[in-house]
Amino acid sequence: MRTADYLDQLLRKYAGTFDIDRPYSIHGKEYPAYGYFFSHTEKYILVREANMWSSDSYEHILFMEVSEVTGETLDEAYALVREYMEPVLVRKGEAVPEKGHMYSYLTISLIADKPLSRQMQKALRRFRFEKGYRFNMRGFSQAHIVCATMEDEKVYTNYAGRRSKKLYQDNFRTGKG
């Protein structure tokens, strides 16, 4: 399967719950797609004005197509999370996210032609970014990374991104049918 075909199938699955922008540009560099999810939950007594609590949950996914995952690829992914996704998409340039923020998942979705080397598998598993705001009273941000390799049809994730693995594996199966 080609990376472009895999990405198209994946975006069709995400489009049911995410807003998808194709292509997406960050600081002059173009990425194939970006997905945005938002959920608002609240608890109130009898009427909405008697609100006990409310929370906002977000997920931002940046899709990248590469021929091979290298140390530079993972460095770029980490820089995107630390220097763009967290400060711009989560905090919107402020010191902390807006009131009611519960969590933001910052997902990097790598779609690669070639299989991952043992060294890159290990580096990808160790990929980690977590940040709490005001002792987590304003929620937290957490980075997920998922990598699908076309040649051997395998999916790799860091610990935080493990819940996405099944979706990416199923995407290989639906592409053949």
Side-chain angles (χ1 to χ4, degrees):
M1 180 181 293
R2 291 184 16 239
T3 58
D5 297 332
Y6 185 87
L7 177 63
D8 287 341
Q9 275 179 213
L10 195 58
L11 291 176
R12 277 195 293 277
K13 289 180 180 182
Y14 273 115
T17 52
F18 282 73
D19 294 332
I20 306 290
D21 289 337
R22 286 186 83 168
Y24 192 75
S25 182
I26 299 173
H27 303 304
K29 182 169 182 183
E30 197 169 277
Y31 295 91
Y34 161 75
Y36 173 76
F37 171 81
F38 169 73
S39 174
H40 177 79
T41 308
E42 61 185 0
K43 179 73 173 174
Y44 54 89
I45 303 171
L46 298 176
V47 292
R48 286 190 181 262
E49 289 75 30
N51 191 333
M52 292 174 56
W53 58 265
S54 66
S55 68
D56 298 330
S57 307
Y58 303 86
E59 184 167 1
H60 305 275
I61 303 177
L62 186 63
F63 297 89
M64 297 171 65
E65 287 181 286
V66 295
S67 62
E68 182 178 14
V69 175
T70 63
E72 291 80 29
T73 309
L74 294 180
D75 289 345
E76 177 185 356
Y78 192 76
L80 283 165
V81 167
R82 190 181 65 249
E83 298 167 11
Y84 179 76
M85 295 176 85
E86 192 275 329
V88 175
L89 300 176
V90 176
R91 291 187 286 124
K92 297 171 181 55
E94 300 294 326
V96 293
E98 67 275 357
K99 189 175 183 199
H101 176 265
M102 185 170 159
Y103 66 81
S104 290
Y105 293 145
L106 310 172
T107 305
I108 300 288
S109 175
L110 295 171
I111 302 166
D113 287 320
K114 297 178 184 172
L116 264 62
S117 67
R118 289 254 188 248
Q119 181 183 7
M120 287 301 103
Q121 289 176 32
K122 192 174 183 179
L124 193 127
R125 277 194 307 270
R126 289 184 174 168
F127 188 95
R128 185 174 176 191
F129 176 89
E130 290 188 26
K131 185 170 185 175
Y133 308 100
R134 295 196 177 150
F135 302 104
N136 287 357
M137 295 302 289
R138 282 280 179 103
F140 66 94
S141 292
Q142 182 181 64
H144 299 180
I145 190 163
V146 183
C147 178
T149 56
M150 300 301 106
E151 203 172 288
D152 59 356
E153 295 189 353
K154 290 194 176 181
V155 178
Y156 306 91
T157 70
N158 65 348
Y159 184 76
R162 70 191 179 282
R163 289 186 195 98
S164 301
K165 191 170 188 171
K166 185 176 177 357
L167 172 71
Y168 283 71
Q169 286 173 328
D170 289 348
N171 204 37
F172 283 118
R173 290 185 206 99
T174 58
K176 293 178 182 176

